Amino acid sequence: MSLFDKHQALLNQAVHAAKTREYWAAFPENPSPKIYGETAQADGQAAAEAYFGKDFPLQQSGTRGWVATEQSPYGVALEVRYPDVAPQDLVAAAQAAEPGWQALGAKGRTGVLLEALARIHQRTHEITHAVLLTSGQGPMMAFQAGGPHAQDRALEAIAYAWMAQADVPASAHWEKPQGKNPPLVMQKHFEVVGRGIGLVIGCATFPTWNTYPGLFASLATGNPVIVKPHPNAVLPMAITIAILRSVLQEQGLDPNVVQLGLCPNNADTQALAADPAVALIDFTGSTAFGHWLRDNAKQARLYAEMAGVNTVILESTDDYAATMKNLAFTLALYSGQMCTTTQNILIPQDGIASNEGHKSFEQVGQDLGAALDALLADPRVATAVLGAIASPATAERVAAAAKNGKVVHASQKVAHPQFPNAVLQTPLLVALTEADSAIYNQECFGPVAYLVAVKDAAAALAVAQKTLREEGALTLGLYSQHASYIDQVVQLSLRGKVALSVNLTQGIYVNQSAAFSDFHATGGNPAANASYSNLAFVADRFVIVQRRAHVHAL
């Protein structure tokens, strides 16, 4: 049985889910021992920690040294050393591996990738413990987002790639009538060919979730891939790459179809990105480097997710307490270190109507701060929800933001009983006026939320639209009891090309994104030029090369 046949049922389910956008998850998000095995968590943790202080078991041609780059947000000494290969050698190895990967065809490539994904899933606890240690995420988020949810996103990319390639017939018999003359007869063949080398540049906060879509989309469409992880979050991707290379070798393929491009300095990263052989770049990170890629790696198609300013409009609510709880969890989750987390909450300066009566602007701020305090009162909950601050620069931004306006809720440091060197901080709430656009119209990544007093509901629309147009966003939220106002915000979301969440008061939050149902980013505003995942995310990663010849009558 081929690998494609082995996994075809799973692929068919994924294709169906992608087409219907109904709820479906291939990989269980519950880490229960009944699902993953009684010793799975302990075994995975031991496996991840076994790499500490050693050369990671990844043999790559052209290795010029072994380098450790990671500093754990939890203060754990990782000191894992990874193979460092010069950019030109990574490119040469990828080019050598490309013909064999291309010759395998869409069906063969899909089978190999589905087998690799199955093995990645088998090592979920190992990979997700690596995600926890390198990203600073809390245990449950590290497991879910770093494991099953990332794997679902990978499968989604494979499914879309399969749909795009399966849409191309392998051959066609072409016959054009010529009246009294014999018809013109040709046999035509069509082959999907990858554009070239794919480069995937990862981020520190979601090393698998943000990396898997581009990695698997490029591989599935016939491109060898070099993965350049964030220097602080290499381990999860090194494990992933090792699994992929193992499956490739088992199938008699060149493992350099997938390589780790450590690139421990910016010069190497820039040289690799600008190499003429690199045809595809997937990037998650700062707007500054995203724009550098756009301007200096013009030979490549760029799929970039960059900075944005996510907004919630709080116009009115019919469940005030639930609204406060939902917003509090949104702001606290992973200390706001998510590209989808709300930064600006626009509130009419005269307050809002609610099922509990009129609430002033000041009262909303106090109640949101109280909801944060209630959520994070239990230290066990606080450490699990907040995770650790991934970068010292984030803590510096929190301190600076406290000077930008009136502090409604101060950010507090939280001690972690297991990781004494970790930096944990509760969200900072700062009240601003509509005139303070120079402050709230730029991203302040981390546990910072601006409560912006706007003139009225109409002004909230104008402010949100300006922010969307100039800075972009991945998410837009709305709380309103009025159908006509909801319609206006819907139109705003369409003009601004941003995902909208309306009146979330239950166990769904504006910063969550579900594979096979939610499109992560639209690709239509400055925050991102692509979406996880739609056909556009995969279809331009390959070209169709045809050949034709006359068919002569015998």
Side-chain angles (χ1 to χ4, degrees):
M1 178 187 292
S2 71
L3 292 180
F4 183 89
D5 292 336
K6 177 181 177 181
H7 298 289
Q8 186 171 9
L10 177 65
L11 177 63
N12 290 344
Q13 287 179 294
V15 168
H16 176 77
K19 288 181 177 180
T20 65
R21 312 309 293 182
E22 298 170 351
Y23 171 76
W24 181 72
F27 305 105
E29 66 175 12
N30 185 345
S32 169
K34 294 181 180 179
I35 298 174
Y36 284 89
E38 292 297 328
T39 65
Q41 182 175 352
D43 293 344
Q45 180 173 337
E49 294 179 358
Y51 300 116
F52 291 2
K54 301 175 183 176
D55 292 346
F56 187 86
L58 185 65
Q59 300 302 316
Q60 293 192 167
S61 55
T63 297
R64 59 187 177 183
W66 293 80
V67 181
T69 63
E70 293 158 315
Q71 298 292 323
S72 171
Y74 282 114
V76 177
L78 305 179
E79 299 177 354
V80 186
R81 297 179 293 273
Y82 303 98
D84 178 27
V85 182
Q88 65 270 21
D89 293 331
L90 290 167
V91 168
Q95 288 177 315
E98 186 174 12
W101 188 236
Q102 166 64 37
L104 201 58
K107 198 170 184 178
R109 291 191 296 269
T110 300
V112 168
L113 295 178
L114 290 172
E115 175 66 20
L117 188 56
R119 297 193 194 181
I120 288 169
H121 180 64
Q122 290 171 355
R123 294 170 66 178
T124 292
H125 276 288
E126 176 186 347
I127 293 172
T128 58
H129 189 64
V131 169
L132 180 146
L133 292 174
T134 57
S135 71
Q137 293 177 25
M140 184 57 76
M141 174 178 275
F143 178 84
Q144 292 183 337
H149 293 176
Q151 294 157 17
D152 278 340
R153 283 295 185 194
L155 180 57
E156 183 182 51
I158 294 170
Y160 271 108
W162 172 250
M163 284 190 277
Q165 293 172 99
D167 196 48
V168 181
S171 62
H173 182 81
W174 188 85
E175 190 168 324
K176 180 180 180 180
Q178 294 280 49
K180 296 180 180 180
N181 298 318
L184 291 174
V185 184
M186 303 195 80
Q187 188 68 26
K188 301 184 180 184
H189 298 271
F190 311 98
E191 188 160 345
V192 170
V193 179
R195 286 192 175 274
I197 296 172
L199 171 63
V200 182
I201 303 175
C203 65
T205 48
F206 288 88
T208 56
W209 198 96
N210 274 110
T211 302
Y212 280 8
L215 168 63
F216 282 89
S218 283
L219 286 173
T221 49
N223 307 280
V225 174
I226 299 167
V227 180
K228 187 264 178 287
H230 190 281
N232 220 41
V234 182
L235 185 56
M237 289 312 302
I239 298 170
T240 299
I241 291 165
I243 294 170
L244 279 160
R245 289 171 65 91
S246 176
V247 175
L248 288 164
Q249 286 180 304
E250 289 177 12
Q251 297 302 309
L253 297 163
D254 189 333
N256 290 326
V257 167
V258 187
Q259 298 176 86
L260 173 68
L262 188 63
C263 297
N265 58 69
N266 288 336
D268 279 353
T269 302
Q270 292 175 345
L272 185 56
D275 192 288
V278 172
L280 306 163
I281 299 176
D282 287 90
F283 168 72
T284 301
S286 70
T287 297
F289 192 64
H291 287 175
W292 186 94
L293 291 169
R294 179 196 64 193
D295 297 338
N296 294 276
K298 294 183 178 180
Q299 84 290 348
R301 279 157 172 75
L302 176 64
Y303 304 85
E305 180 187 310
M306 298 170 288
V309 177
N310 302 312
T311 299
V312 162
I313 299 173
L314 180 51
E315 186 268 342
S316 60
T317 176
D318 61 0
D319 194 339
Y320 184 73
T323 296
M324 293 295 103
K325 288 180 180 179
N326 192 282
L327 285 173
F329 189 82
T330 295
L331 300 178
L333 186 60
Y334 189 28
S335 296
Q337 298 172 107
M338 302 173 68
C339 56
T340 49
T341 297
T342 298
Q343 173 179 302
N344 295 343
I345 303 176
L346 309 182
I347 308 166
Q349 62 188 11
D350 292 333
I352 65 169
S354 82
N355 61 311
E356 298 182 11
H358 181 268
K359 300 290 184 179
S360 69
F361 175 84
E362 291 75 15
Q363 188 66 54
V364 171
Q366 292 171 18
D367 291 341
L368 183 54
L372 282 167
D373 290 340
L375 171 66
L376 304 174
D378 184 336
R380 292 173 299 178
V381 174
T383 55
V385 171
L386 293 172
I389 299 296
S391 168
T394 301
E396 292 169 5
R397 280 192 295 272
V398 176
K403 303 174 184 177
N404 286 336
K406 179 182 178 181
V407 173
V408 175
H409 182 273
S411 176
Q412 302 291 333
K413 294 188 182 299
V414 177
H416 199 301
Q418 185 179 355
F419 302 108
N421 295 324
V423 176
L424 282 72
Q425 288 189 238
T426 62
L428 170 73
L429 303 182
V430 176
L432 300 175
T433 69
E434 187 176 332
D436 293 322
S437 59
I439 298 171
Y440 63 75
N441 254 8
Q442 57 181 325
E443 185 186 51
C444 186
F445 186 75
V448 175
Y450 294 125
L451 310 184
V452 183
V454 295
K455 181 179 179 181
D456 51 25
L461 290 172
V463 169
Q465 180 166 298
K466 183 176 186 293
T467 302
L468 276 169
R469 182 178 64 250
E470 296 177 358
E471 304 299 324
L474 296 184
T475 61
L476 174 65
L478 169 66
Y479 290 90
S480 176
Q481 302 176 70
H482 304 109
S484 61
Y485 192 73
I486 292 173
D487 288 342
Q488 291 181 67
V489 179
V490 168
Q491 293 306 310
L492 168 63
S493 74
L494 296 176
R495 292 193 303 273
K497 300 176 180 62
V498 62
L500 172 64
S501 297
V502 181
N503 292 329
L504 298 185
T505 55
Q506 301 178 39
I508 298 294
Y509 306 91
V510 69
N511 44 347
Q512 294 177 320
S513 180
F516 298 106
S517 188
D518 294 322
F519 292 102
H520 176 70
T522 65
N525 69 62
N529 70 351
S531 174
Y532 303 164
S533 287
N534 55 21
L535 281 171
F537 186 67
V538 300
D540 203 33
R541 295 174 189 258
F542 64 86
V543 298
I544 301 166
V545 179
Q546 73 170 40
R547 60 184 183 275
R548 59 186 181 175
H550 289 295
V551 176
H552 299 286
L554 296 176

